[in-house]
Amino acid sequence: MLASVPNHSVTNVTTALWEPNPTVPANVGVVTSSQSQIKDLFGLFCMVTLNLIALLANTGVMVAIARAPHLKRFAFVCHLCAVDLLCAILLMPLGIISSSAFFGTVVFTVLECQVYIFLNVFLICLSILTITAISVERYFYIVHPMRYEVKMTINLAIGVMLIIWVKSVLLALVTLFGWPAYGHQSSIAAAHCSLHASHSRLRSVFAVLFSVVCFLVPTVVIFAVYSAVYKVARTAALQQIPAVPTWANASPAKDRSDSINSQTTMITTTRTLPQRLSPERAFSGGKAALTLVFIVGQFFVCWLPYFIFHLQMSLTGSMHSPGDLEEAVTWLAYSSFAVNPFFYGLLNRQIREELVKFRRCCLTQPAEFGTSSHEGSFQENFLQFIQRTSSTAETTSSCANSRPRNTMDQGIKIPGQIPEEHT
């Protein structure tokens, strides 16, 4: 037999159920909304800042290289800055629209989404393959210096750039023909326009191909060549290179028969040679390792999360990423476009000097510079130490014309370099 419940009791229970929980503050929704807006505003600020840095830094490095004829050897660095500048003009603004919550109502047509994905694949592939070409160029610059001077011509550089562009275009065209399948949709929300948003069954195959061509192979090449470069740098840093060349250790009788000018030249050269030849002044093993950690580490930090994320999302068939993870890894990768001109351009003292000259020229100030010091940045010392050391004998040969030439043929051998065949 069911007991009846008084009407006033039911009213009290109903009222209690609809009353707000006294332990939860009434303004909790306002606080949460305010925190979300602050986070979205901070994210938009970071994205716009990275975009502006990429625009200014890449433009500055390109202007410095274009104005100085002796900087034409930085062809691949200029190409990298041009590619990153295209990313800052075309790709990063579209990334801001698709990532920021302030543009949540923006809708792309299927064609616009395909163009955005095409630019993603095309420009990312261009940038990474150019970084790979720079690392291979540095390998030959340090390990095979004579072969580099002979074979590294402007025609070869243009040929390598053309190969990079063709490979990037072919890979990006896959996203336009045969791969995209959006069903009967005529428009896509900008936030859902991504590499893994397609309904095509080929997206997992493309994700593997994209990861192998644009990340796995370049990573292996970069790690291999910089390991070889570090081996040469470390060996040169630990090797005791003589401060005085062999011609300076001639017999005292021969020295006494020399003229006063020759003896003065020898004394002056002997005093200045340790500054040019001492590997500790140019770089130590620790500086070389630090340079490599910065260069290789920056590449891994920017691109490893991006490729792992898209590969995992494509292979698992998931359409939506958890939280803001996709935006985070995407803009971590895009930050490479703003960081590259610093690592590959502005760390070089000659490029910095050209930028200072250009700034003073724009401000109508006289550009007066003294002779450049031999103590450059870590990167410059790391890349130019061996060539400076090997070219010292050529520099001092004019001061020792009274000595037999066969003593100079011995030269100063840089440990770790590959002997070149003389033809």
Side-chain angles (χ1 to χ4, degrees), residues 239-258:
Q239 183 76 16
Q240 291 293 332
I241 301 179
V244 181
T246 54
W247 56 265
N249 294 328
S251 60
K254 180 65 177 176
D255 289 340
R256 285 194 297 269
S257 65
D258 288 339

Side-chain angles (χ1 to χ4, degrees), residues 10 12-13 46 118 143 170 231 275 283 374:
V10 176
N12 294 337
V13 172
C46 292
F118 174 85
V143 182
L170 292 178
K231 183 179 179 181
Q275 298 179 359
F283 65 88
H374 294 292

Side-chain angles (χ1 to χ4, degrees), residues 21 35 51 62 136 156 203 229 249 266 269 272 289 300 307 309-310 315 333 365 367 373 375 398 423:
N21 190 351
Q35 292 178 350
N51 198 355
M62 291 179 62
V136 174
L156 179 60
R203 67 173 183 167
V229 168
N249 294 328
M266 290 173 58
T269 308
T272 58
F300 273 95
F307 283 96
F309 171 80
H310 284 289
L315 293 180
Q365 295 181 3
S373 63
E375 305 239 346
S398 60
T423 56

Side-chain angles (χ1 to χ4, degrees), residues 370-385:
T371 57
S372 300
S373 63
H374 294 292
E375 305 239 346
S377 62
F378 286 174
Q379 184 194 28
E380 184 186 7
N381 290 331
F382 179 67
L383 298 178
Q384 298 179 354
F385 165 71

Side-chain angles (χ1 to χ4, degrees), residues 62-73 350 354 357:
M62 291 179 62
V63 169
I65 295 176
R67 291 184 72 253
H70 64 281
L71 296 182
K72 301 302 181 184
R73 59 189 178 88
Q350 295 175 336
E354 290 301 324
K357 291 180 182 179

Side-chain angles (χ1 to χ4, degrees), residues 23-342:
T23 60
V24 179
N27 59 347
V28 63
V30 178
V31 174
T32 304
S33 177
S34 176
Q35 292 178 350
S36 178
Q37 290 180 356
I38 293 175
K39 184 190 70 173
D40 295 338
L41 186 62
F42 178 74
L44 180 63
F45 172 78
C46 292
M47 290 185 285
V48 173
T49 302
L50 285 175
N51 198 355
L52 292 177
I53 293 175
L55 286 170
L56 297 177
N58 287 290
T59 303
V61 174
M62 291 179 62
V63 169
I65 295 176
R67 291 184 72 253
H70 64 281
L71 296 182
K72 301 302 181 184
R73 59 189 178 88
F74 294 100
F76 287 114
V77 176
C78 186
H79 181 259
L80 177 64
C81 291
V83 172
D84 291 345
L85 184 61
L86 286 177
C87 296
I89 296 174
L90 302 176
L91 185 59
M92 297 179 79
L94 291 176
I96 293 175
I97 294 175
S98 62
S99 300
S100 176
F102 291 96
F103 302 95
T105 58
V106 176
V107 176
F108 287 160
T109 64
V110 173
L111 179 60
E112 291 171 345
C113 183
Q114 289 178 350
V115 170
Y116 174 52
I117 295 177
F118 174 85
L119 290 176
N120 251 302
V121 176
F122 174 63
L123 294 177
I124 286 175
C125 189
L126 268 181
S127 182
I128 293 179
L129 292 183
T130 305
I131 292 174
T132 308
I134 292 175
S135 65
V136 174
E137 181 195 24
R138 289 177 173 179
Y139 168 78
F140 283 98
Y141 181 85
I142 294 180
V143 182
H144 302 276
M146 296 181 63
R147 187 180 303 175
Y148 174 87
E149 294 295 335
V150 173
K151 295 186 177 181
M152 188 57 198
T153 61
I154 188 64
N155 292 331
L156 179 60
I158 294 176
V160 173
M161 294 176 192
L162 288 177
I163 293 175
I164 292 175
W165 277 76
V166 170
K167 183 181 294 187
S168 302
V169 168
L170 292 178
L171 183 62
L173 286 176
V174 179
T175 64
L176 296 180
F177 302 102
W179 173 54
Y182 298 98
H184 301 287
Q185 302 181 30
S186 60
S187 61
I188 303 171
H192 295 158
C193 184
S194 179
L195 285 173
H196 60 82
S198 173
H199 296 276
S200 175
R201 292 175 296 178
L202 297 178
R203 67 173 183 167
S204 59
V205 178
F206 174 80
V208 174
L209 179 65
F210 182 51
S211 301
V212 170
V213 174
C214 292
F215 182 74
L216 184 59
V217 174
T219 298
V220 173
V221 174
I222 291 173
F223 185 79
V225 297
Y226 278 131
S227 297
V229 168
Y230 173 73
K231 183 179 179 181
V232 174
R234 180 65 175 171
T235 306
L238 297 178
Q239 183 76 16
Q240 291 293 332
I241 301 179
V244 181
T246 54
W247 56 265
N249 294 328
S251 60
K254 180 65 177 176
D255 289 340
R256 285 194 297 269
S257 65
D258 288 339
S259 62
I260 297 177
N261 293 333
S262 299
Q263 294 179 10
T264 305
T265 303
M266 290 173 58
I267 294 172
T268 305
T269 308
T270 303
R271 290 178 179 177
T272 58
L273 272 175
Q275 298 179 359
R276 295 286 300 271
L277 292 178
S278 175
E280 287 77 13
R281 287 184 62 87
F283 65 88
S284 63
K287 290 182 180 180
L290 185 62
T291 303
L292 287 181
V293 167
F294 278 139
I295 295 176
V296 180
Q298 176 261 335
F299 179 81
F300 273 95
V301 169
C302 290
W303 294 111
L304 182 61
Y306 180 83
F307 283 96
I308 288 180
F309 171 80
H310 284 289
L311 186 62
Q312 188 268 341
M313 294 293 290
S314 298
L315 293 180
T316 57
S318 178
M319 299 295 296
H320 301 286
S321 60
D324 299 329
L325 182 59
E326 182 174 3
E327 289 77 9
V329 298
T330 298
W331 279 95
L332 184 62
Y334 287 177
S335 67
S336 175
F337 307 140
V339 174
N340 286 338
F342 292 94

